[in-house]
Amino acid sequence: MDDFEEDDFMDEDEDDGEGFGHVEDDDDGAEQAELFGDIDSGLTRTVSFEVLPQPEIMKKSRTLIDEVVQVCGVPSDAAAAVLLRHYKWNKEKLIEDYMEEPEKTCTSAGLSTLELERKPPDPKAMHSCLICLEELPAAETFALSCSHRYCKDCWKGYLMVKIQEGARCVFARCPAPKCNFIVHEAAYKALVPADEYTRYNIFLLRSYVDDNMAVKWCPAPGCTMAIRCERQSRKQAVKCKCGFEFCFRCADFDIGDHVPVNCEVLERWLQKASDESENVNWMVANTKRCPMCRSPIEKNGGCMHITCRIASCNHEFCWLCRGPWAEHGQATGGYYQCNKYDASSAKKEDEKATDAKTELETYMFYYHRYESHRNSGKIANEQRATCQKREMHILDKFNVRSQDTKFLMEAVEQLIRNRRVLQYSYVMGYYLDKTKNEKQLFEYLQEELEKHTEYLNKLYEMTLESIPDYQAFMKWKEDVTNYSRVTKKFLDNFLEGVHEGLLADK
């Protein structure tokens, strides 16, 4: 088992807000604040996250481009966009470098100058295109500021291929060998057909998210919105307008929000769950190797006399001491004991196997419960999908108002949150130091949350056939509503208790 300090675990931000305006601690706080979230301090700053629909993504990118044009005096939006993409849309870093060394900044971004096109000295003069080898007037050619001039048809074909290749077309370079000049937006607009330029614009839009450390796409299937987060190391989950909550750092649909465990510990858990080393651990814990051919053998009963079934081996040996069976008999304990065992090296191997088996059993205990709550969470998500249909059945059967059915969605949303936290709580529990008091606090709060979640789940799943009349329905509604609030309180207590328990004595 991997050794972990308590610092590896709780990193929950105390952020209840969903939009800009929430107060969190300054990034310059103590290392403890970085590991565990917000610690009270005199310095605070306003940071949070912002959900961006696609029109807003375009607006944000254009705003940054305009600011660079105005502050740096860049003569065109196309050149400013190239610079911003090179700096991964970090406006502050770009402006800082440009003010200090404008020429170096442009060269590093693929613009030796801010000139977008190098016009031919004589448009009527004939020019030989080095791609198609045709002779044609210079007016029918195009060159970036690098002066590598090719006919417009060759440029068109080259850029259309780049668009076909996908999102990296926004970083396409001049077709001349070893030339690092970037093909800017204005060149695409002038050289490719309108429908291809529309596709290119989509990649431009995506670039603001794909190449921007502060913005990520919502990973929910079918969602086209993005999340901008000022604090890139943010540990509290973000919530998209589509309703999906996820860790901004992981941005993974299958993982979602993994509170209370942090990203690093979760990554180790997922690696452990998929690693072949777990198969090795099982082999060590449940098999022994033939002393002759080293093939693994599993014993499921019988005496200590073992015969290897590998055709080329057939070695006979004692299961306990692994010595040749020819040296065993009544004097060594017969078929079911071995008095040579304590003095043999096999005893040390078996002790190692026992340790591996204990560790494997511990891991399987936590993994089983992790998977159990994961699967229960999937069921809860399916229940949310059918919740509206169930509400309609209630309206038909009991003739109640539509607001009298809203408690069902509130309950299933609470179940989803609880299942998700419980799922990842077993990851955290597996790595917690068993000798510390925090482990006891953690398991107590986890047990309470688990118990009340199961009871709410039982209440929610009560069938309408078992509710005979309006009075029974109102009683059921009251029970589900009250217990949804109760489980929310236990969830809050669990997260708060984990946070305070891990921070104790720090």
Side-chain angles (χ1 to χ4, degrees):
M1 174 174 159
D2 299 324
D3 293 326
F4 289 89
E5 297 295 330
E6 294 147 11
D7 292 350
D8 283 328
F9 303 106
M10 188 59 200
D11 58 12
E12 176 78 3
D13 285 323
E14 299 289 333
D15 183 358
D16 296 321
E18 294 186 6
F20 283 85
H22 181 69
V23 176
E24 289 183 346
D25 292 294
D26 187 78
D27 280 340
D28 297 328
E31 180 182 359
Q32 188 180 59
E34 284 296 315
L35 289 171
F36 299 110
D38 297 325
I39 308 295
D40 289 336
S41 67
L43 291 174
T44 60
R45 67 187 183 93
T46 301
V47 294
S48 192
F49 66 92
E50 181 181 13
V51 181
L52 302 175
Q54 291 213 10
E56 191 65 21
I57 294 173
M58 180 63 75
K59 181 179 177 182
K60 292 285 184 184
S61 63
R62 289 301 173 188
T63 298
L64 286 179
I65 290 170
D66 291 342
E67 290 176 357
V68 169
V69 168
Q70 293 172 9
V71 174
C72 298
V74 177
S76 67
D77 290 354
V82 170
L83 292 170
L84 278 166
R85 283 195 293 274
H86 177 70
Y87 276 82
K88 298 187 180 299
W89 297 91
N90 187 334
K91 178 191 69 177
E92 290 75 16
K93 177 64 175 172
L94 166 59
I95 292 175
E96 178 184 345
D97 288 355
Y98 188 86
M99 292 303 183
E100 290 182 0
E101 296 181 277
E103 186 175 338
K104 181 180 178 181
T105 301
C106 290
T107 301
S108 68
L111 297 170
S112 67
T113 70
L114 295 176
E115 182 184 10
L116 296 182
E117 179 185 358
R118 184 64 53 85
K119 297 289 186 181
D122 182 3
K124 296 180 180 180
M126 298 302 290
H127 177 81
S128 177
C129 174
L130 294 179
I131 295 178
C132 65
L133 303 180
E134 292 287 336
E135 289 278 344
L136 66 169
E140 298 178 19
T141 64
F142 178 85
L144 298 171
S145 55
C146 58
S147 298
H148 295 127
R149 186 170 300 281
Y150 306 101
C151 73
K152 291 183 179 180
D153 284 343
C154 288
W155 270 107
K156 174 184 172 182
Y158 172 73
L159 296 181
M160 287 177 66
V161 168
K162 290 297 179 182
I163 293 172
Q164 293 294 328
E165 290 176 355
R168 302 309 293 176
C169 67
V170 299
F171 294 103
R173 299 184 181 275
C174 170
K178 299 182 180 181
C179 181
N180 291 321
F181 278 54
I182 293 289
V183 184
H184 47 74
E185 180 184 355
Y188 275 94
K189 187 174 183 178
L191 296 167
V192 302
D195 58 334
E196 292 294 327
Y197 179 68
T198 300
R199 289 192 62 196
Y200 172 78
N201 258 319
I202 294 173
F203 293 128
L204 281 180
L205 175 72
R206 293 190 62 88
S207 169
Y208 176 73
V209 181
D210 294 340
D211 304 315
N212 192 336
M213 298 295 290
V215 185
K216 292 184 179 179
W217 295 108
C218 172
C223 183
T224 60
M225 289 181 276
I227 308 289
R228 182 169 71 89
C229 186
E230 297 228 345
R231 189 176 182 183
Q232 296 168 31
S233 61
R234 174 192 178 92
K235 302 176 183 69
Q236 174 71 9
V238 295
K239 185 175 182 179
C240 182
K241 288 181 180 178
C242 71
F244 185 64
E245 294 183 63
F246 63 97
C247 168
F248 184 78
R249 298 172 71 191
C250 297
D252 188 298
F253 176 71
D254 291 330
I255 293 175
D257 174 17
H258 53 73
V259 62
V261 69
N262 71 22
C263 301
E264 291 73 22
V265 174
L266 178 61
E267 183 179 0
R268 297 185 187 187
W269 168 269
L270 295 175
Q271 181 63 38
K272 185 177 182 68
S274 63
D275 202 338
E276 284 297 320
S277 64
E278 290 310 307
N279 295 332
V280 174
N281 285 340
W282 188 92
M283 296 281 287
V284 170
N286 296 281
T287 69
K288 295 179 182 179
R289 292 189 177 275
C290 169
M292 188 64 65
C293 70
R294 304 302 294 166
S295 298
I297 298 173
E298 181 183 9
K299 181 177 181 294
N300 54 13
C303 67
M304 299 302 159
H305 181 196
I306 302 297
T307 301
C308 178
R309 296 305 181 190
I310 299 298
S312 60
C313 181
N314 292 317
H315 179 62
E316 298 180 51
F317 63 96
C318 172
W319 177 259
L320 287 176
C321 73
R322 259 82 86 204
W325 187 251
E327 300 175 2
H328 289 68
Q330 292 299 322
T332 62
Y335 281 87
Y336 293 93
Q337 295 182 30
C338 179
N339 56 23
K340 290 186 172 184
Y341 176 65
D342 287 341
S344 69
S345 60
K347 183 176 182 180
K348 294 182 179 179
E349 293 180 17
D350 289 349
E351 288 173 351
K352 181 179 179 182
T354 299
D355 291 341
K357 189 169 186 177
T358 301
E359 163 61 19
L360 184 61
E361 288 172 351
T362 300
Y363 169 72
M364 292 306 297
F365 171 85
Y366 284 95
Y367 184 79
H368 173 73
R369 282 152 183 79
Y370 164 85
E371 277 293 299
S372 177
H373 284 294
R374 182 169 177 261
N375 291 331
S376 295
K378 291 180 179 178
I379 294 172
N381 275 299
E382 292 170 2
Q383 289 172 333
R384 176 170 58 182
T386 60
C387 190
Q388 188 174 5
K389 184 177 179 180
R390 198 176 184 203
E391 289 174 354
M392 295 302 296
H393 289 163
I394 291 174
L395 291 173
D396 292 340
K397 181 172 182 178
F398 301 109
N399 194 27
V400 294
R401 300 169 302 173
S402 60
Q403 60 248 45
D404 288 329
T405 64
K406 301 304 180 187
F407 72 96
L408 283 175
M409 184 60 76
E410 294 172 0
V412 76
E413 291 285 359
Q414 190 63 49
L415 282 171
I416 291 171
R417 285 192 291 271
N418 287 13
R419 293 296 186 190
R420 187 173 62 230
V421 170
L422 283 167
Q423 173 190 345
Y424 291 113
S425 74
Y426 278 98
V427 179
M428 183 177 182
Y430 176 71
Y431 289 111
L432 274 176
D433 189 340
K434 298 175 178 59
T435 65
K436 298 293 181 68
N437 292 333
E438 284 83 355
K439 178 79 169 179
Q440 299 175 8
L441 168 66
F442 174 84
E443 289 180 345
Y444 169 76
L445 293 172
Q446 184 187 49
E447 181 182 0
E448 289 294 301
L449 176 60
E450 203 162 25
K451 179 174 65 178
H452 288 87
T453 299
E454 296 299 340
Y455 187 74
L456 175 60
N457 194 83
K458 181 180 178 181
L459 280 176
Y460 177 84
E461 291 183 347
M462 184 179 292
T463 62
L464 297 185
E465 289 75 13
S466 64
I467 306 173
D469 52 31
Y470 175 79
Q471 286 73 23
F473 165 75
M474 295 304 291
K475 178 65 170 64
W476 175 58
K477 173 193 171 186
E478 181 181 357
D479 290 345
V480 174
T481 301
N482 289 338
Y483 225 81
S484 296
R485 293 169 182 165
V486 168
T487 55
K488 182 182 184 303
K489 183 64 177 175
F490 273 97
L491 178 64
D492 294 341
N493 287 344
F494 174 74
L495 294 175
E496 181 181 354
V498 168
H499 183 259
E500 291 180 353
L502 288 170
L503 284 182
D505 303 323
K506 295 291 179 187

